């Protein structure tokens, strides 16, 4: 296991290196000059040169990238171009906890509801339960998340106007706090974000479980007279988890990235708004930092999937 983790860690470092290089190159060769944008309608050549030197933008490409990597190794994400003198880590710290909270609860909903629905549908294949659950899942999955978010906002506004609920349809409560007011702000975005993923997990779980239930060893277990719940949960479900683990690992990696539409529509001050504003303002240090964070999340999700494989399937551990 130690050798396996070391190999995966080396792969993680390589992926992060490639992501940082590509992100840096895009910012370096951008046709726009962030310093000129910072100065606005009052250009001053001497001040421009001073700022270029202060941010190290007058250095050669290799030296700028080397400085960028060295700062990353010291957990220094640089300084924002938009807010002069403000560290990038402080800019990201404003929105990252919110995005992580949104993604965390959405993933819990996706897994804890989607997987059981898919398993039940597979067990009761071609029944009315299967038809209704998979039909509903298909409709939800077919709807883009931003369309579903807009529909939910319209519903909230209609309920507020009709019944005087005064339920908020934008913004976010205090991160990781759950008073009734906080729950009112957070409930709709979390349910919308979790809905499409839940539908996907349900359909994937059903497909995977149906394939396992047709295997010879499952028929043999039933022929031995084992209880149906033992056959389902001890023999079939564990093997059906393999493809699900892959998707869960990827979902963990894209927790923050997948919330961009939701955050924008619900006006949630998360990492999505920070990233998009940074792109508009050519605040390259913030864009580079958010990209690196997302890349780390994806690689970590894949690493977690690989570890879970060895727990679920002993054959993978032996290999």
């Amino acid at each position: 296991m130690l050798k396996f983790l070391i190999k995966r860690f080396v792969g993680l470092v390589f992926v992060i290196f490639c992501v940082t290089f590509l992100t840096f190159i895009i910012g370096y060769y951008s046709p726009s000059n962030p310093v000129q944008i910072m100065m606005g309608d009052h250009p001053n050549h001497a001040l421009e040169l001073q700022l270029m030197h202060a941010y190290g933008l007058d250095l050669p490409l290799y030296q700028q990238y080397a400085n960028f990597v060295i700062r990353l190794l010291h957990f220094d994400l640089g300084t924002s171009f938009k807010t002069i003198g403000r560290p990038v880590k402080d800019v990201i710290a404003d929105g990252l906890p919110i995005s992580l909270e949104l993604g965390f609860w959405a993933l819990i909903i996706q897994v804890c509801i989607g997987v059981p629905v898919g398993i039940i549908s597979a067990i009761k294949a071609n029944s009315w339960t299967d038809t209704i659950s998979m039909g509903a899942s298909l409709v939800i999955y077919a709807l883009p998340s931003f369309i579903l978010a807009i529909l939910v906002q319209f519903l909230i506004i209609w309920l507020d106007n009709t019944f005087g609920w005064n339920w908020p349809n934008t913004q976010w409560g205090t991160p990781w706090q759950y008073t009734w007011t906080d729950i009112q702000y957070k409930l709709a975005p979390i349910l919308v974000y979790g809905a499409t993923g839940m539908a996907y997990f349900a359909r994937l779980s059903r497909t995977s479980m149906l394939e396992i239930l047709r295997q010879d060893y499952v028929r043999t277990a039933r022929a031995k007279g084992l209880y149906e719940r033992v056959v389902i949960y001890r023999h079939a479900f564990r093997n059906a988890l393999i493809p699900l683990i892959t998707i869960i690992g990827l979902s963990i990696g894209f927790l923050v990235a997948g919330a961009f539409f939701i955050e924008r529509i619900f006006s949630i001050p998360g990492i999505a708004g920070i990233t998009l504003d940074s792109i508009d303002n050519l605040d390259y240090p913030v864009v580079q930092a958010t990209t690196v964070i997302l890349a780390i999340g994806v690689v970590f999700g894949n690493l977690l999937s690989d570890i879970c494989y060895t727990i679920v399937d002993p054959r993978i551990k032996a290999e």
Side-chain angles (χ1 to χ4, degrees):
M1 177 61 73
L2 180 61
K3 182 179 179 181
F4 165 79
L5 292 176
I6 292 175
K7 289 172 61 177
R8 286 294 183 268
F9 180 76
V10 172
L12 182 150
V13 173
F14 177 75
V15 170
I16 299 301
F17 173 80
C18 292
V19 170
T20 57
F21 181 75
L22 292 174
T23 306
F24 183 84
I25 288 297
I26 292 173
Y28 183 83
Y29 286 106
S30 173
S32 302
N33 188 332
V35 172
Q36 292 178 352
I37 293 178
M38 291 165 58
M39 298 176 63
D41 298 329
H42 306 284
N44 184 311
H45 184 65
L47 180 59
E48 179 181 345
L49 294 177
Q50 183 179 352
L51 289 174
M52 292 282 289
H53 180 72
Y55 283 102
L57 299 177
D58 56 347
L59 298 174
L61 170 63
Y62 72 91
Q63 193 168 351
Q64 288 190 43
Y65 181 67
N67 293 338
F68 174 64
V69 173
I70 292 172
R71 288 197 302 268
L72 280 181
L73 293 176
H74 290 86
F75 302 101
D76 181 4
L77 299 175
T79 305
S80 170
F81 288 165
K82 180 182 178 181
T83 309
I84 300 177
R86 188 182 186 191
V88 171
K89 62 181 180 181
D90 292 345
V91 177
I92 294 178
D94 292 339
L96 187 59
I98 295 175
S99 296
L100 288 177
E101 183 182 18
L102 172 61
F104 172 78
W105 287 115
L107 182 63
I108 294 296
I109 291 174
Q110 292 170 9
V111 175
C112 294
I113 297 180
V115 173
V117 168
I119 298 300
I120 293 172
S121 295
I123 295 172
K124 299 184 178 182
N126 301 320
S127 67
W128 66 269
T129 302
D130 179 33
T131 302
I132 293 176
S133 60
M134 288 301 102
S137 298
L138 181 60
V139 171
I140 295 174
Y141 183 66
L143 285 174
S145 59
F146 59 90
I147 295 296
L148 190 59
I150 293 173
L151 290 176
V152 169
Q153 279 194 327
F154 282 147
L155 177 61
I156 293 174
I157 293 172
W158 179 80
L159 291 173
D160 287 347
N161 293 334
T162 304
F163 300 102
W165 283 12
N166 197 28
W167 194 281
N169 56 41
T170 56
Q171 293 298 317
W172 191 259
T174 305
W176 302 102
Q177 291 188 17
Y178 302 101
T179 64
W180 175 239
T181 302
D182 291 316
I183 292 174
Q184 286 181 305
Y185 280 106
K186 298 175 182 180
L187 187 60
I190 289 174
L191 291 178
V192 170
Y193 189 24
T196 52
M198 178 191 68
Y200 179 72
F201 273 107
R203 297 188 64 83
L204 179 63
S205 301
R206 180 184 184 274
T207 302
S208 179
M209 193 67 174
L210 280 177
E211 182 179 352
I212 296 299
L213 290 175
R214 297 189 183 107
Q215 299 297 318
D216 292 338
Y217 66 86
V218 174
R219 287 194 290 267
T220 302
R222 284 172 171 161
K224 289 180 177 180
L226 295 177
Y227 290 112
E228 184 66 13
R229 65 175 180 273
V230 176
V231 174
I232 295 298
Y233 296 107
R234 182 177 299 177
H235 296 276
F237 179 64
R238 186 169 183 176
N239 290 290
L241 281 176
I242 297 296
L244 293 175
I245 289 174
T246 303
I247 301 303
I248 292 173
L250 291 175
S251 298
I252 292 174
F254 287 105
L255 279 178
V256 177
F260 270 43
F261 284 125
I262 305 298
E263 291 185 12
R264 204 63 170 176
I265 292 171
F266 284 97
S267 300
I268 298 173
I271 202 70
I274 293 174
T275 303
L276 295 176
D277 289 342
S278 299
I279 293 174
D280 292 337
N281 295 298
L282 300 183
D283 198 349
Y284 297 135
V286 177
V287 176
Q288 291 167 349
T290 55
T291 304
V292 170
I293 290 174
L294 295 179
I296 292 175
V298 172
V299 174
F300 173 76
N302 288 328
L303 175 62
L304 188 61
S305 294
D306 291 336
I307 295 174
C308 290
Y309 288 151
T310 63
I311 297 173
V312 172
D313 193 342
R315 294 172 299 176
I316 299 177
K317 184 183 295 186
E319 294 173 1

